[in-house]
Amino acid sequence: MISMGVNIAHHNILETGTFLSTGCNFGASIIADEYTYCGIGSTIMTGLHRLGKDSLIGAGAVVIKDVPDGAVVAGVPAKIIRYKPQYTPQEP
């Protein structure tokens, strides 16, 4: 689902269940895996490659690197604040 006021650049792949909330800015050449949620006014910068399955991007966050499966990220720049219960943290 793509809400109003969303900007999407070129060569992106949005998998099933991806939600881009109002005012989201989505950079170029990014894969958003299934059930990725991008909060209001979030910015996903060009240069990263993947937003993991079932990940959540907080409102107003600026994502500058890949987000692992099940991660909840927030802030400027975005940092992992926790993982959803069904996912275990991945070692870098």
Side-chain angles (χ1 to χ4, degrees):
M1 178 186 283
I2 300 171
S3 193
M4 62 184 171
V6 172
N7 297 304
I8 302 173
H10 55 86
H11 295 92
N12 290 303
I13 298 173
L14 304 176
E15 297 287 348
T16 302
T18 297
F19 182 83
L20 303 179
S21 195
T22 305
C24 180
N25 294 301
F26 204 84
S29 303
I30 301 167
I31 299 169
D33 285 341
E34 294 179 322
Y35 307 109
T36 298
Y37 178 89
C38 297
I40 294 172
S42 59
T43 300
I44 318 311
M45 300 293 291
T46 299
L48 62 96
H49 301 289
R50 180 177 168 270
L51 298 177
K53 180 179 179 180
D54 203 22
S55 59
L56 189 148
I57 313 302
V62 177
V63 181
I64 60 173
K65 42 187 180 174
D66 289 3
V67 176
D69 293 344
V72 177
V73 300
V76 180
K79 294 183 175 142
I80 298 169
I81 56 173
R82 71 180 184 92
Y83 284 87
K84 293 184 176 179
Q86 62 270 38
Y87 294 89
T88 55
Q90 299 173 357
E91 295 298 321

